[in-house]
Amino acid sequence: MYFGNQSIRTLDGSDAIGGSIHLQNAPRWQHGLQAGIQQNIGSFGQYFTAGNVNWGNGKLESRTQAYRYSTDNDFTVRISPTENTQQQNASVFNYGIQQAINYRIASNQYVSLQGWHHFSDKQTQSTRGDRFSNDLLRERSTRVVADYVLNNSIGFFNVKLGYINDYLLFNQNSTTATQRGIAALKYEKQLHKNLSLQLGTQWIHIRTNVDAYDGEITEDRTSVYGSLRWQIIPRWQMSLNVRQAFVTDFLAPFAPSLGTEFILYQNKSNKLLIKALASKNYRIPTLNDRFWQGTGGVGNPNLRAETGWSAEGGLAYENKTQNTSWKAEATYYQMKITDWILWKPIGNVWSPVNVAQVNGSGIEANLQIKIKQSRGYISLGANYAYTLSTIMQDDNPDFIGKQLLYVPFHSSNAFAFWQFDRWFLQADVNQTGFRYLENSNANFVQGFALANLGVGKNFKLKHHWWSISVRINNLLDHDYESVNNRAMPGRNYQLSLRYQIKSF
């Protein structure tokens, strides 16, 4: 967690309390033809095939990608110290295609049209030892977005129009259909060499037809936002972000944030800086939270939006020499959320309620090292997070002071990558601590650590490029669960072959 990403939380608005992800596919304006194909074969009936064809002449560009994935997931499951069985009802099949067309009107403006269609048939994984589960989830999703971009002396303009159609069928008898229309406008301007401005607005119209909602639901979400970045002196930068949203049946709060970054020390090889951010956050209840009327769960139309404040501060250090570079960063953060939305049992069904207050705090740290060699390089990295998310007020006194469900106190990962000539070797370890299963913290699912190892080689001849690799996942064959009573695969293998051709 660091200043650069966290400072956009206010701009992201609702549902950005835990951060957000942005997907971008910017034009490359390359000349010529480029095509490639990849084939993976793995344990438990796993097959993945993907291909891409890209063409451009500097003015018009087409980028096409297609993929297909399937797996039986019929791995061995331990159901007792003396008995094993085969995983049931866990197969997955999906395919999709992505297409982008970009046209450059002039050197400073272009239009683009991008589309993505995805289809998936997924069996709902049975619990350990369950031989009778046959739940099936079928999904279909289509997404289209059109962009116009202009960058001139007045500023940078981006106009975006989008449409999303999602359809889900559960067990051939329960449907969820959602359509979303999106319109957005963004403007950026360098007001001064030390001062930049960003303004924007976004409108989203949501229409759902969900069997479990007992009728059609529509909702509109409109937001306006602004951001001002000021380079006060070469060593000191500040950022002010504001956002106001308007949501059907909700009064969203005004959400500001203020961040700063100051370089404490800098010379030719070293840089040490301090970062800080304070922001107000909010999250509007989802449609499921409010309107779900399915088996085993009932929505709550009277839910209030989550609101809160967060603050964080940290140090970042960089060191660069001729053959070695490394970065280290550590951040401490605190959050206080009022009206946190929590699903919990009420009688014989689960229903969401507003918990009076949840406090969060933690530490995040990461380290990256890269060492150049005469015929390759070595890259090393590690990340660690300590997370404390505590219920501070609730109508059930047994829950006060307890950790939120499925939030581990400790999680970490480390990786190593070595490239020598055209050979490469990679290894990584991922650790997740234990997670509580009940609000009372009486029971938990065990933590786990997974080690993975891969080796491969790249080949190149003129415009032709090949890569072959072998990967071993869960190297130590651990028996673990990401979700309680849902087994995960033991040691498994994957062979990958890729081919790419470029013609310029």
Side-chain angles (χ1 to χ4, degrees):
M1 185 176 295
Y2 60 96
F3 172 76
N5 276 352
Q6 297 303 308
S7 64
I8 65 173
R9 280 184 182 166
T10 298
L11 298 186
D12 297 330
S14 183
D15 302 325
I17 283 181
S20 53
I21 298 174
H22 295 261
L23 303 179
Q24 297 180 348
N25 188 9
R28 299 182 183 178
W29 307 123
Q30 293 178 332
H31 290 259
L33 179 69
Q34 176 179 318
I37 189 169
Q38 176 177 346
Q39 180 64 59
N40 295 356
I41 302 175
S43 303
F44 317 123
Q46 180 184 164
Y47 294 91
F48 174 76
T49 305
N52 67 83
V53 178
N54 304 323
W55 174 87
N57 61 7
K59 191 175 185 69
L60 180 65
E61 181 178 78
S62 172
R63 306 179 65 82
T64 306
Q65 300 179 69
Y67 59 89
R68 181 190 183 278
Y69 173 79
S70 65
T71 179
D72 297 328
N73 269 331
D74 53 353
F75 51 87
T76 300
V77 177
R78 179 184 58 81
I79 58 176
S80 75
T82 59
E83 184 180 1
N84 294 329
T85 188
Q86 194 174 56
Q87 177 63 56
Q88 302 293 313
N89 207 68
S91 68
V92 177
F93 168 74
N94 60 54
Y95 64 83
I97 184 169
Q98 295 174 289
Q99 177 65 54
I101 301 291
N102 306 312
Y103 177 71
R104 182 152 58 178
I105 302 171
S107 61
N108 65 338
Q109 62 178 317
Y110 69 87
V111 292
S112 72
L113 181 65
Q114 301 182 50
W116 174 45
H117 179 76
H118 175 81
F119 173 85
S120 172
D121 258 342
K122 179 181 180 181
Q123 293 179 324
T124 303
Q125 182 183 0
S126 61
T127 58
R128 290 182 184 262
D130 183 356
R131 300 177 182 271
F132 304 101
S133 174
N134 59 359
D135 291 339
L136 177 65
L137 194 64
R138 176 167 292 174
E139 297 177 85
R140 184 178 67 244
S141 178
T142 302
R143 306 183 179 203
V144 181
V145 61
D147 276 277
Y148 170 73
V149 174
L150 171 65
N151 191 4
N152 59 19
S153 59
I154 300 176
F156 173 86
F157 296 87
N158 178 209
V159 180
K160 188 184 299 286
L161 296 174
Y163 173 74
I164 300 174
N165 188 318
D166 294 323
Y167 176 81
L168 185 151
L169 177 64
F170 180 68
N171 282 348
Q172 305 294 327
N173 58 22
S174 178
T175 62
T176 298
T178 303
Q179 299 180 69
R180 281 172 285 178
I182 302 171
L185 172 64
K186 182 169 68 172
Y187 169 75
E188 297 178 10
K189 174 67 173 178
Q190 193 73 32
L191 302 176
H192 184 268
K193 65 178 182 179
N194 296 330
L195 188 65
S196 63
L197 172 70
Q198 182 183 134
L199 300 173
T201 183
Q202 183 183 71
W203 169 76
I204 302 176
H205 176 72
I206 305 172
R207 181 183 298 273
T208 66
N209 193 339
V210 182
D211 290 345
Y213 287 179
D214 194 26
E216 185 178 85
I217 303 294
T218 62
E219 181 178 86
D220 288 281
R221 299 188 177 202
T222 304
S223 60
V224 291
Y225 62 86
S227 175
L228 193 64
R229 292 181 179 271
W230 182 21
Q231 193 76 40
I232 302 172
I233 59 176
R235 290 174 176 260
W236 187 15
Q237 174 186 284
M238 294 197 70
S239 174
L240 173 65
N241 306 300
V242 294
R243 184 184 184 96
Q244 180 63 63
F246 307 90
V247 183
T248 303
D249 297 327
F250 282 91
L251 180 62
F254 177 70
S257 73
L258 180 65
T260 186
E261 180 178 303
F262 184 78
I263 299 175
L264 298 172
Y265 174 77
Q266 185 175 23
N267 60 19
K268 184 178 179 179
S269 303
N270 302 278
K271 182 167 73 171
L272 175 65
L273 54 89
I274 185 171
K275 305 176 180 182
L277 172 71
S279 64
K280 184 173 183 178
N281 310 301
Y282 69 94
R283 187 178 78 88
I284 302 297
T286 66
L287 297 181
N288 276 351
D289 289 335
R290 287 176 278 163
F291 303 113
W292 185 264
Q293 301 292 323
T295 302
V298 177
N300 181 356
N302 298 315
L303 285 173
R304 297 180 298 276
E306 296 177 358
T307 60
W309 288 89
S310 64
E312 63 183 61
L315 291 171
Y317 176 71
E318 297 182 18
N319 175 274
K320 292 183 179 181
T321 61
Q322 183 176 356
N323 296 319
T324 304
S325 65
W326 63 281
K327 300 179 181 179
E329 187 169 345
T331 302
Y332 173 77
Y333 66 90
Q334 281 194 330
M335 300 173 62
K336 180 177 289 187
I337 307 300
T338 301
D339 290 328
W340 184 280
I341 298 171
L342 179 68
W343 283 75
K344 66 180 185 179
I346 300 176
N348 295 322
V349 298
W350 287 73
S351 184
V353 297
N354 288 111
V355 176
Q357 184 178 311
V358 171
N359 285 3
S361 63
I363 297 172
E364 297 184 354
N366 64 76
L367 173 66
Q368 298 181 40
I369 302 173
K370 187 172 183 178
I371 304 171
K372 294 181 181 179
Q373 298 180 316
S374 59
R375 298 169 65 181
Y377 70 92
I378 298 174
S379 180
L380 306 170
N383 300 276
Y384 169 77
Y386 171 75
T387 306
L388 188 64
S389 297
T390 308
I391 299 174
M392 301 304 296
Q393 298 180 29
D394 190 82
D395 54 7
N396 188 333
D398 292 337
F399 297 165
I400 295 177
K402 306 299 185 181
Q403 180 85 341
L404 290 179
L405 308 186
Y406 277 101
V407 178
F409 289 104
H410 304 277
S411 59
S412 61
N413 65 73
F415 71 88
F417 182 87
W418 178 41
Q419 180 173 309
F420 181 76
D421 286 342
R422 293 181 178 173
W423 287 91
F424 59 88
L425 176 68
Q426 58 188 42
D428 59 87
V429 178
N430 302 278
Q431 177 269 334
T432 300
F434 72 90
R435 291 142 294 147
Y436 288 115
L437 301 174
E438 299 173 357
N439 295 327
S440 62
N441 289 182
N443 296 299
F444 60 89
V445 59
Q446 292 283 356
F448 57 88
L450 301 178
N452 309 299
L453 183 66
V455 62
K457 187 176 183 179
N458 299 320
F459 306 86
K460 188 176 181 181
L461 178 63
K462 294 184 178 180
H463 299 303
H464 303 270
W465 178 84
W466 295 266
S467 178
I468 185 170
S469 63
V470 177
R471 182 174 174 85
I472 307 174
N473 300 307
N474 195 358
L475 181 65
L476 301 180
D477 199 26
H478 281 317
D479 182 11
Y480 72 102
E481 297 175 348
S482 292
V483 177
N484 185 46
N485 212 23
R486 268 27 179 221
M488 296 296 289
R491 184 185 299 115
N492 60 94
Y493 307 88
Q494 180 177 291
L495 173 66
S496 177
L497 177 64
R498 289 187 291 168
Y499 169 74
Q500 198 86 13
I501 182 172
K502 295 182 180 180
S503 177
F504 297 104

